[in-house]
Amino acid sequence: DGGITQSPKYLFRKEGQNVTLSCEQNLNHDAMYWYRQDPGQGLRLIYYSQIVNDFQKGDIAEGYSVSREKKESFPLTVTSAQKNPTAFYLCASMPGQNRNEKLFFGSGTQLSVL
Amino acid sequence: AQSVTQLGSHVSVSEGALVLLRCNYSSSVPPYLFWYVQYPNQGLQLLLKYTSAATLVKGINGFEAEFKKSETSFHLTKPSAHMSDAAEYFCALMRSGAGSYQLTFGKGTKLSVIP
């Protein structure tokens, strides 16, 4: 089945540690996105990528980094510079060609600080 | 700036009652608007979308939404609530710029259905 796979489902970070969240899609979509979800805050855009080897900062990129070396993969690293990393992280993808297309979402990773 | 505002972070309805979830948008260009639903600890699923065709949009699970330009609104309704409708609902607007598209979300409305 085609879809988006996020792993792990739960992740714990120690102080000063970088952690990487995985996002893989087999939908052959060009565009991929990372969102952060906090209770009562909705979803906020961290980074997005329209094509391989290119990505742009979203609204809350500080303390995060990404790469897009392959079309199907868009990992997110939460660095030690992100002082409040506890949140639910959602990866999404879209074919990327038209404004009326829907986003397909993964099932999310819950990141907590030890 | 393009944005959406959802009125009411929590809405409670009785089973069988009308569901009304409110969304207002701000956009300098004709907007493309979406409603998504999220069940606990899961990703989001598309309920319906408005893309400048019919102003009344029908979606999955009996939901529909009406685009009203004069009121800059895109409220979500369902005539009769089911227990399975309990979830969090997000209104969203597709922004575009520099050849790319990004979805901007409202803060969400959590719907509770009382038996």
Side-chain angles (χ1 to χ4, degrees):
Chain A
D1 287 340
I4 300 178
T5 301
Q6 289 187 242
S7 62
K9 190 169 180 64
Y10 300 96
L11 186 58
F12 297 91
R13 194 191 89 166
K14 296 179 181 179
E15 289 288 336
Q17 186 182 42
N18 292 355
V19 291
T20 297
L21 284 61
S22 172
C23 178
E24 303 277 332
Q25 55 102 356
N26 60 5
L27 300 166
N28 199 34
H29 286 172
D30 287 318
M32 296 188 75
Y33 305 81
W34 275 107
Y35 286 90
R36 170 179 171 141
Q37 185 177 15
D38 297 277
Q41 294 295 315
L43 280 73
R44 293 179 289 169
L45 183 63
I46 305 173
Y47 268 98
Y48 62 101
S49 168
Q50 294 291 128
I51 57 172
V52 174
N53 292 323
D54 188 39
F55 48 83
Q56 288 79 40
K57 294 182 179 180
D59 303 312
I60 56 164
E62 186 174 351
Y64 300 97
S65 65
V66 294
S67 63
R68 186 88 186 274
E69 297 177 0
K70 298 185 295 183
K71 186 176 185 177
E72 59 269 25
S73 178
F74 192 40
L76 173 73
T77 296
V78 184
T79 74
S80 57
Q82 173 49 245
K83 298 307 179 186
N84 184 22
T86 296
F88 190 57
Y89 291 85
L90 285 161
C91 180
S93 72
M94 188 171 86
Q97 306 305 316
N98 295 296
R99 196 158 70 106
N100 63 350
E101 292 167 342
K102 73 173 188 179
L103 261 63
F104 292 74
F105 282 85
S107 56
T109 293
Q110 175 64 51
L111 176 61
S112 302
V113 176
L114 290 176
Chain B
Q2 296 177 292
S3 64
V4 289
T5 302
Q6 291 184 242
L7 303 176
S9 58
H10 288 89
V11 170
S12 291
V13 300
S14 298
E15 192 174 16
L18 171 72
V19 176
L20 171 60
L21 305 181
R22 301 177 187 273
C23 173
N24 287 90
Y25 70 90
S26 173
S27 178
S28 56
V29 299
Y32 280 20
L33 296 161
F34 302 75
W35 275 100
Y36 282 82
V37 61
Q38 184 182 34
Y39 298 99
N41 299 315
Q42 293 186 24
L44 277 68
Q45 302 171 32
L46 180 69
L47 278 177
L48 50 81
K49 62 181 180 180
Y50 168 75
T51 59
S52 76
T55 56
L56 182 62
V57 181
K58 294 188 182 298
I60 63 171
N61 301 337
F63 284 93
E64 62 182 35
E66 186 172 10
F67 174 75
K68 291 187 177 180
K69 184 178 178 180
S70 60
E71 299 177 7
T72 61
S73 69
F74 189 56
H75 302 332
L76 182 70
T77 60
K78 182 174 180 178
S80 176
H82 295 163
M83 296 298 294
S84 60
D85 294 327
E88 191 158 20
Y89 293 80
F90 293 93
C91 182
L93 178 150
M94 187 66 80
R95 295 183 293 173
S96 62
S100 65
Y101 303 110
Q102 314 97 45
L103 205 56
T104 293
F105 287 87
K107 293 189 175 183
T109 298
K110 192 164 289 187
L111 176 67
S112 298
V113 182
I114 304 165

